[in-house]
Amino acid sequence: MDGTNSSAPRGPRRLRRDAEANRQRTLQAAREVFAERGLGVNLDDIARHAGVGVATSYRLFGNKQALINELFEERVDALAVVAEQAQTHDDPWEGFVGLVTTLLEMMAADRGLREVVFSEVGGRPLVAQARRRLMPAIDAVMHRAQDAGRLRPDLALTDLPLVFYMLSSVIQHTRPVSSAVWRRCLTIVLDGLHVGPRLTDMPVAALTNAEEEQVAGVNPTSS
């Protein structure tokens, strides 16, 4: 025996572990940077945020689009799980509400996700693929609530993307003033979709006059 610890990891295995650790750090950094700053950042920015070498990030992912693709797929996977759970929820209406709310919460928390979904640049193939995967499940959740007499029967599946677009615009424009006021708008929309004498309590306070003027851009210096 030469005294070397035979159980110590060999070079290639150690390199693979280091590469995977750097990959995970880069992915987490991309989640954070895209969510906060949107897709305008570059791979150099993400590498610095991750604390890894720029060359390492390019070696692991090649380009920023590869990171966008992987993180978008994560979001789609998570939403697919929520949609599956919504189809078996004890209350069909609450299943529908939960699915819509979760999707909008994702949008509210992630500027990059909003840009992928609603931008004409770079996101169309990703969104088309996500729609093919998710829309049948969303359709099933919607029809289940309609069959239970809880969701207005004239709501079409094609109405929902428009609702998401409308509320995403609210999220985008009100975020500098309030990160939660979009929930009031969602409550108004859901009460309009619900069948029956039901008025939901507003989840957050309304904007003040000064805040609304700031959102509208007529009082941009207001803090």
Side-chain angles (χ1 to χ4, degrees):
M1 300 290 290
D2 61 4
T4 302
N5 184 354
S6 61
S7 64
R10 297 185 178 185
R13 184 178 299 175
R14 174 61 180 272
L15 288 175
R16 284 195 295 271
R17 285 206 295 264
D18 288 348
E20 180 59 22
N22 286 335
R23 183 177 184 279
Q24 292 304 321
R25 280 196 291 269
T26 303
L27 280 170
Q28 182 57 32
R31 291 184 191 100
E32 295 169 1
V33 174
F34 286 151
E36 180 64 26
R37 297 165 55 187
L39 302 182
V41 299
N42 57 41
L43 200 53
D44 293 19
D45 298 323
I46 293 167
R48 283 192 291 270
H49 190 75
V52 303
V54 172
T56 297
S57 291
Y58 278 96
R59 185 168 61 250
L60 290 169
F61 290 97
N63 55 54
K64 182 176 71 174
Q65 190 62 47
L67 271 169
I68 293 171
N69 293 353
E70 184 159 345
L71 295 180
F72 184 74
E73 186 63 26
E74 279 186 1
R75 298 293 190 270
V76 173
D77 287 345
L79 195 58
V81 171
V82 175
E84 182 178 347
Q85 294 171 341
Q87 292 180 65
T88 59
H89 197 289
D90 291 342
D91 186 323
W93 168 253
E94 292 302 329
F96 174 79
V97 170
L99 178 57
V100 171
T101 302
T102 297
L103 189 149
L104 289 166
E105 286 173 342
M106 288 182 177
M107 294 280 188
D110 192 335
R111 175 179 169 182
L113 178 62
R114 296 198 304 275
E115 291 179 2
V116 169
V117 172
F118 296 113
S119 172
E120 294 295 330
V121 180
R124 297 299 93 188
L126 293 176
V127 173
Q129 182 178 355
R131 284 172 62 94
R132 286 193 295 270
R133 179 177 176 188
L134 293 174
M135 290 304 275
I138 294 173
D139 186 48
V141 173
M142 185 188 80
H143 277 97
R144 187 167 178 260
Q146 288 175 322
D147 291 343
R150 306 290 298 282
L151 179 65
R152 57 185 300 160
D154 56 351
L155 181 71
L157 181 62
T158 52
D159 290 323
L160 291 181
L162 301 179
V163 170
F164 294 141
Y165 182 81
M166 175 176 63
L167 291 172
S168 178
S169 296
V170 173
I171 290 169
Q172 176 182 344
H173 290 294
T174 61
R175 186 171 182 80
V177 175
S178 170
S179 62
V181 76
W182 65 269
R183 294 182 184 274
R184 289 179 63 90
C185 298
L186 173 60
T187 299
I188 293 168
V189 169
L190 289 175
D191 275 0
L193 296 177
H194 188 266
V195 173
R198 181 178 186 271
L199 190 63
T200 306
D201 293 335
M202 288 292 185
V204 298
L207 297 178
T208 65
N209 288 338
E211 288 171 335
E212 190 280 325
E213 290 176 352
Q214 188 177 347
V215 170
V218 296
N219 187 16
T221 62
S222 177
S223 58

